[in-house]
Amino acid sequence: MKILVINGPNLNLLGKREENIYGSKTLAEINASISEYAKNNNAEAYFFQSNIEGEIVSKIGESRKEYDGIIINPAAYSHYSIAILDAIRAISIPVIEVHLSNIYKREDYREKSVTAKGSVGVIAGLGHYGYILALDFLLKGSK
């Protein structure tokens, strides 16, 4: 099984910004733990990070022929990107949305996720472990 992990804007700064909200792990460290979990479960994880909405939309569209599922943290785009929502809806592979922080305990504008409407499920507030839970679901629970 091949899983694509997409991370949106500013997640390349993990470990350097707002550690009280996002934790101290870098994106590279999170990706390494996802890779290890995937490998231990006979799967492969691939990673894509962009601060540019159009690049994320394009990557989602390209993924339908190459991957069995997507884990996405759209970051700030989750609150307003109809383009990412439409891209998710245009593919037939399962998508799980992940947020490091609990978006429902933060600012009012963060409580709504537009992109979640296209996702199979959402995991929020469990830090980097949310990615592992999403991967576990795609590998075992979505069948």
Side-chain angles (χ1 to χ4, degrees):
M1 189 171 224
K2 292 170 63 174
I3 304 297
L4 176 63
V5 180
I6 298 174
N7 281 289
N10 299 312
L11 292 172
N12 57 309
L13 300 175
L14 288 175
K16 302 173 191 140
R17 67 179 276 242
E18 299 176 287
E19 289 182 33
N20 60 318
I21 296 173
Y22 302 109
S24 60
K25 287 191 177 279
T26 65
L27 186 58
E29 291 170 329
I30 292 170
N31 289 349
S33 65
I34 295 167
S35 283
E36 182 179 345
Y37 190 86
K39 183 179 176 184
N40 290 339
N41 286 277
N42 300 312
E44 296 174 275
Y46 298 85
F47 302 95
F48 179 78
Q49 189 279 325
S50 180
N51 296 320
I52 302 169
E53 184 180 28
E55 289 180 358
I56 294 170
V57 168
S58 294
K59 190 67 173 180
I60 293 168
E62 295 163 5
S63 70
R64 69 185 184 281
K65 295 178 184 176
E66 197 171 337
Y67 300 100
D68 300 299
I70 295 175
I71 298 167
I72 186 169
N73 183 341
Y77 289 137
S78 59
H79 311 299
Y80 62 86
S81 180
I82 303 302
I84 292 175
L85 170 62
D86 286 348
I88 292 169
R89 286 181 168 166
I91 60 173
S92 60
I93 61 176
V95 176
I96 306 294
E97 185 170 314
V98 172
H99 296 280
L100 294 164
S101 68
N102 184 346
I103 61 174
Y104 305 104
K105 289 179 76 174
R106 299 196 52 202
E107 302 91 344
D108 290 345
Y109 65 89
R110 292 189 196 271
E111 291 180 4
K112 181 179 181 184
S113 173
V114 171
T115 53
K117 292 185 179 288
S119 302
V120 171
V122 178
I123 300 169
L126 301 179
H128 67 278
Y129 188 61
Y131 290 92
I132 300 298
L133 292 174
L135 179 57
D136 200 47
F137 176 79
L138 290 173
L139 295 176
K140 302 172 186 169
S142 65
K143 295 176 184 172

